[in-house]
Structure formats: C-alpha cells, structure tokens
Amino acid sequence: MPDLRPLPAVADRPDDEPELTLPPLAHRGGCTCALHARRRAGGWLLAGAGAGLWPGAGQAQGVAKDVGEQSRFSGLVSAEDVEKAAADQYSQLKREAASKRLLAPETDPQLQRLRATAERIIPFCAPWNSRAKGWRWEVILIRKKDLNAFCMPGGKIAYFDGILQRLQLSDDEVAVIMGHEMAHALREHARERMGKTVATRVGAGLLSSLLGLGNLGDAALNIGAQLLTLKFSREDESEADLVGLELAARAGYNPAAGVTLWQKMMKAAEGAPPEFMSTHPAGPTRVRDIQQTLPKVQPLYAGAPKPPRVYGPPPTTP
C-alpha cells in the first residue's frame, strides 16, 4: 500500500536544486469502463478501470500483431512482489522530494495536465495487462531540470518538470511519453529483467559448481547479467514505442507527435545526452520506425474522442 500521508509541496523550485535519489525500479526508462479519480489524504489516485474497454475486434487493430508474447522470464519473479517494491520505492521518492521542496503542489497546472492525460490513457491499459485493472495509479511532478519521466510497475508515474519546460512539450507529446512509459509497466519489463537476472544467477551458479570455476564463475555471472540487460533494454524500447503510440492514439492524442518529440530529444542531446535518453536511445532510426508505425495507429486517433481541453507547455523561464 503506497504511503498516502499528506505531503508538503511548494510552488517554486529552489534556486539551488538538491540532489534526488531515483528508486531502482524507476525507468532511466470507445471506453465502456467506469473510471473515476479521487483524492485521499493529500494524495491522488485513479481507480476503477473496467474489464471491457472496447469491442473485441478493436484489439486486432493497431500494433497488437507487432508486439510479441510476454517473456517466460517474467514467471520467475512474482508480479505482486515487484509491484509492492515499486510502491514502496515510489512512496520513498515522494517523501524525499517533499522534504527537499521538490514536489509540485496539487494546484500546479502542469501536474493537473499530467493527471488529465493519465485519466484519458488508463482506460486503454487493461488489454495489454489485466493486472492494470487493479493498479492504484498515481502521478506526481518533481521540480527538477532533468529531462526525465518514468512509470514504475503498478502504475506509479513521475515527470520531472525539466522535460516539460525545456522541450516545451505539446499535450500530444506529453501523451506519447506517458504512453511509452506506461507501456514499460504494462509489458512488465522490470519484472522480465529481474527474471532474466534470476535465470542467469541460477545458471551460472550451477555451471560454476559443475566446472569448479569458483570466483571465475561469479565474474561470468556478472558479465552475463549485464549482457542480458543491454539486449533487453533495446528490445523493450521498441516495444514501448509501439504500445505507447497506440495508447496515446486511442486516448485521442495525435501519435504523430512521436516524431516531433524525438526530434526535440535529439536536438537536446547535441551537447551532453540528457538522463531521459540514457536508456531511451533516439535517432534517425527511431524516428523512422515511429513514422512506419503511424499508419497503424492514426486510424485509432481519427476515431477517438479528443481531449476537451488544451493545456499547452509551461511558460518559458530565463
């Protein structure tokens, strides 16, 4: 259960930003349901996602055929354990951000924008992961200049206001990022990564015992885990792009914003690559892949109800 005690928040970011420790599980990466948002003890939760989200034929549209089956490695780690760990880490992040006066207040227009975006996307998550129907979704905004955003297992979302401010993101671009990060949680990429690590440790341990490798076996284990992680990340980013574009389109946001978003990210990375791109590789290939996916998701966008309000990016600051 996430910690929902009232959290102090501030309207202005301190001039000298304190450091903030990101939790390990943070990623450095026609609805018929009853959906309602509610406030509890100073926190914001979104709950009530129903089982039937659109006609059965709807899932045959979009990118479903381009996304593979759930990895068997995920079965090596309990989903409940991963989600509980994420909830605990998220609560710790909120407390630390509040103590350092980095947590945006409930009245912040950009936080309201993010939550309005989440409300529109969440109803379309359950077909990608049935567990999402029971997740206690949360969205917070952290006042840091970093270009970063993530969704932890169990639907724990955080944006840094640097990505909104510095890139001057449109509502569509915000939704594309949110869909991408939600896709990581829905496809249980963190759980799969843990499962691969478990399999690697078990396999290397058995091999070390059989061959008498001792410490050499431990070294091989560490290298193997790193290689698995690298391969996993590349595959996951492509999958999250696909699923995220579909989620945004179904929620009424233009998926073509994926192109302008990554063009902005590439421009921002011309100097030192931002934190957000350290595990979100961008480039001409990525933009090309998004452009090739657009014909599959644009019809979903064309038929979706559009957001009733345009929020727009935050005012620019010197």
Side-chain angles (χ1 to χ4, degrees):
M1 179 74 69
D3 184 351
L4 296 177
R5 292 176 295 176
L7 298 171
V10 294
D12 299 310
R13 182 199 293 119
D15 292 333
D16 184 16
E17 286 188 349
E19 293 297 321
L20 185 67
T21 304
L22 287 182
L25 287 178
H27 183 74
R28 329 228 194 221
C31 173
T32 59
C33 68
L35 183 68
H36 62 277
R38 69 181 187 269
R39 296 183 183 276
R40 292 184 51 185
W44 179 92
L45 296 174
L46 197 148
L53 299 182
W54 58 76
Q59 183 66 353
Q61 301 173 350
V63 303
K65 293 181 179 180
D66 301 312
V67 177
E69 297 293 327
Q70 199 78 26
S71 172
R72 290 177 294 177
F73 287 103
S74 299
L76 299 177
V77 180
S78 164
E80 292 83 357
D81 289 345
V82 174
E83 290 167 14
K84 182 181 184 304
D88 291 343
Q89 292 175 14
Y90 190 76
S91 294
Q92 181 178 348
L93 173 65
K94 289 192 297 184
R95 289 193 295 269
E96 182 180 351
S99 69
K100 295 180 178 179
R101 299 175 56 80
L102 297 175
L103 195 66
E106 297 288 313
T107 56
D108 187 286
Q110 291 301 308
L111 177 59
Q112 294 173 359
R113 177 195 195 195
L114 295 174
R115 290 177 174 176
T117 305
E119 286 184 35
R120 294 191 63 85
I121 297 177
I122 288 171
F124 302 101
C125 289
W128 292 104
N129 187 328
S130 61
R131 293 187 60 81
K133 292 181 289 186
W135 286 355
R136 296 166 63 84
W137 294 86
E138 295 186 68
V139 183
I140 58 173
L141 176 62
I142 297 173
R143 293 190 175 279
K144 292 279 288 181
K145 296 178 181 178
D146 308 63
L147 301 184
N148 204 2
F150 55 83
C151 179
M152 298 171 69
K156 307 304 185 185
I157 300 169
Y159 271 66
F160 285 28
D161 68 355
I163 199 168
L164 305 174
Q165 172 67 241
R166 292 167 58 188
L167 299 187
Q168 286 291 286
L169 297 180
S170 68
D171 291 1
D172 294 323
E173 290 166 341
V174 166
V176 167
I177 290 178
M178 188 171 290
H180 175 99
E181 296 305 325
M182 286 179 168
H184 282 297
L186 293 168
R187 297 297 293 166
E188 299 188 281
H189 292 157
R191 183 182 174 200
E192 180 182 353
R193 176 181 294 187
M194 293 178 183
K196 286 183 177 181
T197 300
V198 169
T200 303
R201 287 176 177 172
V202 171
L206 290 175
L207 187 62
S208 296
S209 298
L210 290 173
L211 301 181
L213 296 178
N215 292 335
L216 178 60
D218 293 337
L221 163 61
N222 293 332
I223 294 173
Q226 293 174 24
L227 291 176
L228 283 172
T229 299
L230 288 174
K231 181 180 179 181
F232 170 82
S233 293
R234 295 190 186 103
E235 293 171 353
D236 271 16
E237 292 302 331
S238 296
E239 185 173 271
D241 278 346
L242 289 173
V243 176
L245 289 174
E246 175 167 321
L247 290 172
R250 288 190 183 276
Y253 296 98
N254 190 347
V259 174
T260 57
L261 166 66
W262 289 108
Q263 288 172 339
K264 288 181 178 181
M265 293 298 294
M266 285 188 290
K267 185 175 181 180
E270 287 177 354
E275 177 70 17
F276 185 82
M277 291 178 63
S278 64
T279 53
H280 294 66
T285 299
R286 187 166 203 167
V287 171
R288 183 196 65 205
D289 290 344
I290 291 174
Q291 290 172 327
Q292 292 176 347
T293 303
L294 290 180
K296 300 178 181 180
V297 293
Q298 283 287 7
L300 301 176
Y301 167 64
K306 304 306 184 285
R309 174 181 174 183
V310 175
Y311 287 84
T316 57
T317 56

